[in-house]
């Protein structure tokens, strides 16, 4: 998908004097174990050697007289809003990644404008000076095209080739970058040439993501289906007028959305924020994140956006409705808790893994082919008869007893989970024709209740005796028992 | 999180990839069916195995009844404790999930190795020792059978219909609690 990225590298610097070294820092890991890194640096600071992503202390060492300040994303969003609005006049539904960085999908507006070049010119004209513009396939490549653009827009025709030249550090996963470098993989191209399966088995999910980026697949090629009704909406009978009220409701709604999504085991890459004022004016903005949104990151963005609207043009009459609509859902991005009800755990499992067959053949060689079995249902009156066993890897023999026939007199109720290969003798004490006690190992268990008898006519022509079946319930469990003449047998345990 | 429940409910336990669930208690308290029901979700996506260590007692009927896909369930019979760990490891190498009865005589070290293999292979493993308990620190979740009561039979009339289990649930990052469930 052709994407334009517009990046204002100096956006965070607003209000900073130009004639002294200056930079803005944000929280984030940087080399040397620093926890604050440079988000933007002015010309003088750059000349002194300060670069984006460098640690704060390292930058201050390079430029001791620099003025520095912490990044205020809310304020930046507020200032950025008019830029986004004017870009949105050109192309609808642009995506904000952060203040100073937007992505524009080209496809929809190509026909309207008559070509990429014309659209690109219009975007550059609208964005104004200070913007760096990149055009490539997919958001990741477009972003790096913009990052590497200098004065001219960077139009990437061959995205794969462009990506392959990028340094490995662009994958933005510090530990993995070090390992890749140590392995001699210094560019995305070198990473992309390795087999994906090998990368996935060595580096897991994160490795897979890096490999996808390196091979130009910005997003998993097989996006998850979007469950319906995931958007959340809140109506406010009393319009929210103060920023505090808006902040509170934004937080609550974001938390609700993420809670719903968590239950489904997903996290969105994109969220559309829609707000309606009491005068009926509806505003929408799409925010995007390369990593799926987590609760705090979503809360932040919703808050920045609402603040930008409230403090910018204002929301006339107050806010009466707020809606968050997630899209571009990802299955990754969070750890499932052990007991969470979710089907996602097994979703990524490849059903056609050849390993299963191989593993079971190996087991056959360990225990013998007669001990590795599959079953099919067949007819019968006793649980033991109702399974047609066959060796794993072989075709079942045709069922002797038709499973679809009615089988009157079959043992009722659920099937016992444990069925002895042959009925085992068991001691039962009777009182007045009713079961009274059962011997389990060394102890006698009182019979709590029982059902039966159900008569079982044996195949008399084969010399089988008739028998009676009982379901006997004790406090230690329920048992299926056969009484044949004077003797009693255990035929199943309802375990 | 599980909460202690006054009213019985469906058992809210699942076997996730890479997780190990222990099921402890004598036969009769309902744990075999619980263990087999853990294979339902993985059987939708891959092969699952039930290891029978009682010498041919394990019936797949119960597994099919709870919803395990018949074509995906393989029963392996192995009651020899010296061979059992090898068999279990070989199975874990390839299949999605395993319900394994553990015969007496299987060493703690072997169980720990299997646990590590389960995590590495992202398989699911439900361990059901035939006697005694599993060593500490192996399972993510441990279910202990406490009691079972059956509904249906009435002094000769009716037949077994539904059971109510009382289980003790404990696990990593879970407080001990007792759970009533129909299963």
């Amino acid at each position: 998908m052709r994407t334009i990225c517009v990046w204002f590298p100096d956006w965070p610097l607003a209000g900073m004097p130009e004639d002294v070294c200056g930079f803005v820092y944000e929280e984030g890991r940087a080399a040397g174990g620093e926890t604050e890194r440079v988000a933007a640096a002015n010309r003088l600071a750059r000349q002194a050697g300060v670069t984006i992503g460098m640690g704060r202390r390292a930058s201050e060492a390079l430029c001791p007289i620099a003025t520095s300040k912490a990044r205020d994303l809310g304020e930046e969003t507020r200032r950025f809003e008019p830029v986004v609005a004017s870009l949105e006049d050109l192309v609808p539904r642009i995506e904000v990644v952060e203040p100073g960085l937007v992505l524009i999908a080209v496809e929809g507006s190509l026909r309207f404008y008559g070509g990429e070049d014309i659209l690109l010119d219009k975007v550059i004209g609208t964005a104004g000076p200070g913007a760096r513009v990149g055009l490539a396939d997919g958001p990741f490549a477009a972003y790096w095209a913009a990052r590497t653009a200098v004065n001219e827009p960077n139009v990437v025709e061959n995205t794969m080739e462009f990506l392959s030249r990028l340094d490995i550090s662009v994958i933005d996963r510090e530990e993995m970058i070090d390992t890749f470098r140590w392995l001699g993989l210094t560019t995305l191209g070198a990473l992309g040439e390795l087999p994906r399966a090998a990368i996935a088995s060595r580096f897991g999910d994160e490795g897979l993501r890096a490999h996808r980026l390196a091979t130009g697949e910005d997003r998993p090629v097989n996006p998850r289906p979007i469950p319906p009704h995931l958007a959340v909406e809140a109506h406010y009978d009393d319009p929210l007028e103060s920023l505090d009220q808006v902040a509170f409701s934004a937080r609550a709604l974001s938390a609700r959305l993420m809670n719903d999504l968590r239950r489904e085991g997903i996290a969105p890459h994109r969220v559309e924020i829609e707000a309606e004022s009491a005068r009926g004016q509806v505003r929408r903005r799409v925010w995007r994140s390369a990593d799926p949104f987590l609760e705090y990151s979503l809360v932040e963005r919703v808050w920045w956006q609402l603040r930008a609207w409230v403090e910018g043009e204002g929301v006339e009459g107050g806010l009466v409705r707020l809606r968050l609509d997630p899209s571009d859902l990802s299955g990754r991005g969070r750890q499932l808790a052990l007991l969470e009800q979710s089907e996602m755990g097994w979703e990524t499992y490849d059903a056609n893994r050849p390993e299963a067959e191989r593993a079971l053949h190996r087991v056959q060689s360990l225990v013998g082919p007669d001990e590795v079995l599959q079953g099919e249902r067949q007819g019968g009156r006793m649980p033991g008869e109702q399974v047609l066993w066959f060796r794993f890897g072989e075709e079942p023999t045709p069922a002797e007893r038709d499973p679809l026939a009615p089988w009157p007199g079959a043992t009722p109720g659920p099937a016992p989970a444990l069925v002895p290969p042959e009925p085992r003798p068991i001691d039962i004490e009777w009182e007045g024709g009713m079961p009274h006690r059962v011997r389990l190992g060394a102890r006698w268990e009182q019979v709590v209740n029982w059902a039966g008898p159900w008569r079982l006519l044996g195949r008399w022509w084969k010399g089988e005796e008739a028998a009676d079946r009982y379901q006997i319930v004790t406090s230690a469990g329920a048992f299926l028992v056969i009484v044949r003449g004077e003797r009693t047998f255990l035929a199943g345990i309802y375990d | 999180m599980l909460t202690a429940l006054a009213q019985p409910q469906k058992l809210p336990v699942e076997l996730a990839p890479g997780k190990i669930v222990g099921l402890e208690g004598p036969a009769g308290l309902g744990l075999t069916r619980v263990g087999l029901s853990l294979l339902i979700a993985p059987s939708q996506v891959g092969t699952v195995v039930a290891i029978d260590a009682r010498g041919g007692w394990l019936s797949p009927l119960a597994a099919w009844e709870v919803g395990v896909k018949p074509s995906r369930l393989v029963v392996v019979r192995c009651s020899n404790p010296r061979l059992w760990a090898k068999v279990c490891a070989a199975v874990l190498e390839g299949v999605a999930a395993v319900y394994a009865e553990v015969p007496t005589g299987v060493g703690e070290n072997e169980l720990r190795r299997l646990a590590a293999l389960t995590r590495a292979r992202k398989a699911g493993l439900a361990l059901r020792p035939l006697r005694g308990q599993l060593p500490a620190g192996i399972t993510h979740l441990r279910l202990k059978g406490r009691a079972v009561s059956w509904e249906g039979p009435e002094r000769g009339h009716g037949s077994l219909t539904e059971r109510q289990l009382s289980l003790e649930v404990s696990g990593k990052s879970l407080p001990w609690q007792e759970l009533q469930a129909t299963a």
Side-chain angles (χ1 to χ4, degrees), chain A residues 398-417:
Chain A
E400 202 179 296
R401 295 180 283 268
D402 181 3
L404 300 174
W407 294 99
T411 313

Side-chain angles (χ1 to χ4, degrees), chain A residues 338 342 345-346 349 351 356 359 363 371 373-376 383 389 413-415 417-419 421 449-452 471 476-478 495, chain B residues 14-15 17 19 28-33 45 57 59 61 64-65 71 75-77 90-91 95-96 128 150 153 155-156 158 160 163:
Chain A
L338 179 67
S342 162
W346 294 103
Y349 189 87
V363 174
E371 308 294 330
L373 302 167
Q374 280 194 282
E376 252 186 19
W389 292 102
L418 298 174
V419 177
N449 222 325
W450 79 96
Q471 287 172 337
D495 188 33
Chain B
E14 278 193 358
L15 192 60
K19 301 287 180 195
L29 293 185
L31 293 170
T32 302
R33 215 177 172 84
V45 298
W57 280 62
S59 166
L61 281 175
W64 301 339
E65 262 180 15
S71 61
V75 176
V76 175
R77 291 177 179 163
V91 172
V95 305
R128 170 83 198 276
W150 279 92
R155 299 184 69 77
L160 296 177
R163 63 183 190 173

Side-chain angles (χ1 to χ4, degrees), chain A residues 103 128 145 160 163 243 262 328 335 348 391 395 465:
Chain A
L103 294 167
M160 282 298 291
L163 287 175
L243 209 51
R262 194 171 301 132
D328 205 354
Q335 182 72 50
T348 49
R391 289 172 173 180
E395 286 295 307
E465 280 178 67

Side-chain angles (χ1 to χ4, degrees), chain A residues 381 409-416 449-454 469-473 478-481 494, chain B residues 65 149-164:
Chain A
R381 293 187 172 87
T411 313
N449 222 325
W450 79 96
W454 297 287
R469 286 161 296 167
Y470 287 84
Q471 287 172 337
I472 291 182
V473 181
F479 306 93
L480 178 65
V481 171
Y494 293 92
Chain B
E65 262 180 15
S149 64
W150 279 92
E151 282 167 31
E154 197 47 64
R155 299 184 69 77
H157 299 285
S159 68
L160 296 177
T161 52
E162 202 176 61
R163 63 183 190 173
Q164 226 182 81

Side-chain angles (χ1 to χ4, degrees), chain A residues 264-307:
Chain A
E264 302 280 340
I266 45 185
H269 281 280
R270 241 168 43 166
V271 171
E272 185 181 73
I273 305 166
E274 188 180 297
E276 190 178 337
S277 72
R279 297 276 167 85
Q281 188 190 15
V282 179
R283 288 203 180 93
R284 287 190 193 89
R285 180 73 69 234
V286 179
W287 280 78
R288 179 191 196 87
S289 167
D291 289 321
F293 283 118
L294 301 174
E295 187 169 324
Y296 79 90
S297 56
L298 180 67
V299 168
E300 257 177 9
R301 278 158 183 82
V302 174
W303 162 233
W304 296 338
Q305 187 56 58
L306 291 173
R307 184 178 153 193

